[in-house]
Structure formats: C-alpha cells, structure tokens
Amino acid sequence: MARIVMKFGGTSMAGMERIRNVAARVKHVVEQGNEVAVVVSAMAGETDRLVGYCREASSLYDPAEYDVVVSSGEQVTSGLLAMTLKAMGVDARSWLGWQLPIRTVDTHAKARIESFETEALNAAMAAGQVAVIPGFQGMMEDGRVSTLGRGGSDTSAVAVAAAVKADRCDIYTDVDGVYTTDPRIVARARKLDKVTYEEMLELASVGAKVLQTRSVGLAMKEGVRVQVLSSFDDPDQDDLPGTLIVSEEEIEGSDMERQLITGIAHDKNEAKIIVTRVPDKPGAVAHIFGPLADAAINVDMIIQNDSKQQGETDVTFTVPRADLARSVDILESNKAVIGFNRIVTDAEVAKVSVVGVGMKSHAGVAATMFKTLADRGINIEAISTSEIKVSVLIDEDETELAVRVLHTAYGLDAEAA
C-alpha cells in the first residue's frame, strides 16, 4: 500500500464528463489499496473569467477580495469531484485551504506556503477516505483567504505530498510526460522516463510548461518524488507510463550512462532592452536593476558592452514581455539618476535553452550550440548560462528552426518507427 497525492489541472477538470473520468481514475488507485489525496485546479478558463470580473469591478481592485473571488474556482471543482466519488461508492470529502489549514505568508495573489497542519488530513486518509483539496489557495495569519499565484495548484500538490509524507505526487496534465522538446515542433521528440529535479527546474524556468517552477523547487527541497502523467489515458491501466522527477542520485543508480543533454526548451515571452551610454562607473548598473527589482520585475540575460564614447557603456538585458512597458516606464522615471542616453527595445525575440546535468562533466556543449546555430545563419543576441543550462536570445521568427536543429545536433531525435 502506498500513500499517493494526485493532482489534476484545469483541462482535466473542464466539465462533468472529465470530472467523472478523474473520479474513475482516483477510484482505480484507491481500489489498489492506496491512501489517496487529490488536489484540483479550477476548470479550464475559469480563473481567467474570474480575473476578468475583478477587473470589471475595479481597475485597482483590493487584492484580498481578488483572492476571495479567484479561489472560488478550485472550491467548485473540489466539491464536484467529492460528490462524484461518493456517487461511485468511494468515501471522499472536500477540504478547503482554511479547513486544514494551509498557512501562508501575508501576501495576496502570490502567497508562499509557510506551514501545513496535517493531523485531520492524516487521520482521514488512514481511515480510507479520499481527501479532495482545492489547489492554489491557503489562509493567512489573519484568517483571510490567500492564493499562490497562477499555476499554484502544482505547488499545493507538492506541499500536500511533503506534509503527509506521500510516496509519490502524480501530476496529471494534458501531456503524458516530459519530452526532450515540444513535440508540436519536433515530431521525433522523445518522452523521458526520468528527469532530475535540477533539470526540471531549469526546463520549467526557461519555457517548458509542464510544471510550475515553484512546485519543482519545493519538490527538490522536500525530496518529493513527482510523476507527470496524462489524464486522458485509460483510467484502469496499471502501469505508470509518465515521467518521474527525482533526485540525481536515484537516476544515477538506475542508468549506467545518461544522455548528455536532457532537453531543449524555448520561451517567446521575452523582450530585450538596451540602455545606451550609461556612465561607466561603480554603482551605475545598480541604478538600473535596483528599481526593476523593487518592482518585482525578473531580469534574465545581462550584457554590458563598451560604448563608442569613452567612459560610457551600453547595458543589454531581457525581461518578461508582459513587463516591457512597465520596465521602460521605471527606467525613464529614473533617467536622471541612471544618466543614460536612450532606451532601445525589441519584443520580437525568443529564448532557446539546452539543459542537461551531463554538462557538469562534459566540455563543448556551448560550442556545439553556437556552431549549430551559426551553420543555419541564426544570430545570437545574448547568452546566459548555469551549471546545467545554456540559453541564447534569438529572433522570434527563428525559434522553431533553432529548436529542431539543436534537437538533432545533440542526438535527441527518436529513431524512425
């Protein structure tokens, strides 16, 4: 018998037919003798609809009331799934975030989980009752509802799994695992059996949409074994054909030799900013990035170049495309302090990344990437690296070509059937 947390996203919960499919899948896992908790998202599109209502109510809406509104989507699906399970003869009940409770920091719309009280939940699971928990929501110290930010149900599921010491956290999505790249771009992309936490964290941060970045970081911190599965496969199948997200040690213990590169990710949600003729002196760059950090704008790639004018430099960096206008406004309002000449922007760029723990012990990964792109005439506008990742910024129109040629260059293509 195992203790399993199952998480179902919005696509899996989109309407009663799919909720019945989820219930059948949960029932199958329960009938195998497992203790089960289920974390659910709102129905697909529901959160966007609720956010729209908030904006209609007030352009400067109260964040506390925003959380009350947008958290209701998960409350609906948790109740409906519990009802459906009971109708199928499975003992189940819903638990709202404040009933457990899941305690968060005092920040609305992007709260982080601080603690998780599990006494009642553990007792219910041990008694054979399926706990159905709405993802994305918690409770602040003052008793108000809080939400964890978009995609927060993944984080909720991993937090539940860590709190109840689950053997595994199964994340059901509309894909059947983690692939070497987006199969819609590369038909010969391969599904991966196992991926390390570090690799998945990098893949999620550079554009892979399978898991929320925060959920992977929490899984790594707490040692939660996560599995990505499709909610559209046969609910009665006994095998688990998804992708396991586990520690590097577990993978090393099962694979004699691993692929050098695990996957290729891309992200078109990028914008480039060039701040020209910045004074080349200590503190000048801090005046650029300090105000952006204060506004919670995430800056990624950074390049500092010599300007044609002596004593000056050009600073190039990227921000999320949605933050471009706000970033420019912040920089312009600090122009006197920064002392730059002008700002040049480009929103038609994309980031392409190669990720793999094999980089730690193999040289030449970056060189292969640069040569492959150069051979196809793809210009690199910026570069950033980590121990297991190399990312480049390129023209948005060349994204799919770059992904395909890199996938082939690193030997990731599946063999033809």
Side-chain angles (χ1 to χ4, degrees):
M1 181 181 72
R3 176 167 281 194
I4 298 173
V5 174
M6 307 171 70
K7 184 266 174 178
F8 295 91
T11 306
S12 307
M13 304 298 292
M16 284 310 304
E17 182 179 350
R18 291 189 177 178
I19 289 175
R20 280 189 285 270
N21 181 69
V22 167
R25 189 176 299 278
V26 172
K27 180 179 180 180
H28 178 66
V29 174
V30 170
E31 289 176 342
Q32 291 177 317
N34 300 303
E35 296 179 1
V36 177
V38 184
V39 176
V40 295
S41 297
M43 293 184 187
E46 180 65 9
T47 302
D48 287 337
R49 186 178 71 89
L50 295 170
V51 170
Y53 284 149
C54 292
R55 289 173 177 161
E56 283 185 39
S58 171
S59 58
L60 298 173
Y61 49 73
D62 179 356
E65 302 304 340
Y66 168 90
D67 277 355
V68 171
V69 174
V70 298
S71 64
S72 66
E74 283 75 11
Q75 180 170 328
V76 170
T77 50
S78 61
L80 289 173
L81 180 57
M83 285 183 193
T84 306
L85 284 167
K86 288 180 180 179
M88 291 182 173
V90 178
D91 185 16
R93 69 152 288 185
S94 61
W95 297 80
L96 301 186
W98 60 267
Q99 291 174 316
L100 291 166
I102 301 171
R103 300 191 182 276
T104 71
V105 297
D106 290 344
T107 305
H108 286 290
K110 51 183 177 181
R112 291 185 175 272
I113 297 173
E114 273 193 332
S115 63
F116 198 130
E117 296 178 23
T118 60
E119 184 177 352
L121 184 58
N122 278 323
M125 293 178 69
Q129 185 179 73
V130 174
V132 184
I133 303 166
F136 178 59
Q137 66 173 240
M139 182 183 76
M140 300 197 314
E141 188 64 33
D142 63 1
R144 296 298 301 264
V145 171
S146 58
T147 61
L148 309 183
R150 299 304 294 265
S153 292
D154 284 350
T155 301
S156 298
V158 173
V160 171
V164 302
K165 296 179 171 54
D167 296 280
R168 196 176 65 245
C169 178
D170 290 344
I171 307 286
Y172 289 86
T173 69
D174 53 0
V175 296
D176 61 352
V178 179
Y179 281 74
T180 49
T181 197
D182 188 338
R184 293 169 297 183
I185 295 177
V186 180
R188 294 174 68 180
R190 292 183 294 107
K191 187 172 69 175
L192 300 164
D193 294 328
K194 292 181 180 179
V195 178
T196 69
Y197 294 125
E198 292 87 349
E199 289 169 326
M200 194 64 240
L201 194 59
E202 290 283 17
L203 286 167
S205 69
V206 295
K209 307 299 184 186
V210 179
L211 292 174
Q212 187 208 40
T213 306
R214 280 172 58 190
S215 69
V216 182
L218 181 60
M220 181 166 63
K221 175 177 175 288
E222 299 293 339
V224 176
R225 300 174 82 246
V226 176
Q227 184 166 221
V228 179
L229 298 158
S230 172
S231 59
F232 301 113
D233 291 333
D234 181 1
D236 295 328
Q237 61 187 18
D238 291 323
D239 61 335
L240 295 171
T243 300
L244 273 171
I245 318 297
V246 292
S247 68
E248 189 173 343
E249 291 74 21
E250 180 172 337
I251 290 182
E252 286 178 347
S254 60
D255 294 344
M256 291 295 291
E257 188 169 342
R258 297 197 62 224
Q259 190 85 27
L260 172 63
I261 297 301
T262 297
I264 315 290
H266 70 282
D267 187 1
K268 294 183 178 181
N269 182 35
E270 293 285 323
K272 182 176 71 171
I273 297 176
I274 305 174
V275 185
T276 66
R277 298 180 61 183
V278 177
D280 190 7
K281 62 181 182 181
V285 174
H287 290 316
I288 294 174
F289 297 115
L292 296 176
D294 292 340
I297 294 174
N298 182 44
V299 174
D300 187 11
M301 302 173 170
I302 302 174
I303 300 173
Q304 183 170 330
N305 300 317
D306 289 334
S307 175
K308 295 179 181 178
Q309 303 296 322
Q310 189 173 6
E312 296 178 342
T313 184
D314 293 342
V315 179
T316 302
F317 57 94
T318 61
V319 297
R321 191 172 296 181
D323 290 330
L324 177 59
R326 193 157 59 104
S327 299
V328 171
D329 183 61
I330 290 169
L331 293 171
E332 290 288 1
S333 66
N334 286 273
K335 185 173 183 177
V337 176
I338 300 169
F340 63 86
N341 177 257
R342 68 191 182 105
I343 294 173
V344 180
T345 65
D346 184 358
E348 296 180 355
V349 293
K351 178 169 62 180
V352 176
S353 308
V354 297
V355 176
V357 293
M359 292 187 198
K360 293 181 180 179
S361 55
H362 291 78
V365 172
T368 298
M369 184 181 200
F370 303 153
K371 183 179 186 305
T372 300
L373 296 177
D375 288 346
R376 299 307 294 263
I378 299 173
N379 184 50
I380 297 173
E381 301 181 27
I383 302 167
S384 67
T385 65
S386 73
E387 191 177 27
I388 64 169
K389 176 203 72 181
V390 181
S391 296
V392 297
L393 193 72
I394 63 173
D395 187 280
E396 182 180 16
D397 290 340
E398 297 177 316
T399 305
E400 295 189 3
L401 173 61
V403 170
R404 290 193 199 98
V405 297
L406 289 171
H407 198 268
T408 300
Y410 288 109
L412 298 176
D413 290 350
E415 294 182 7

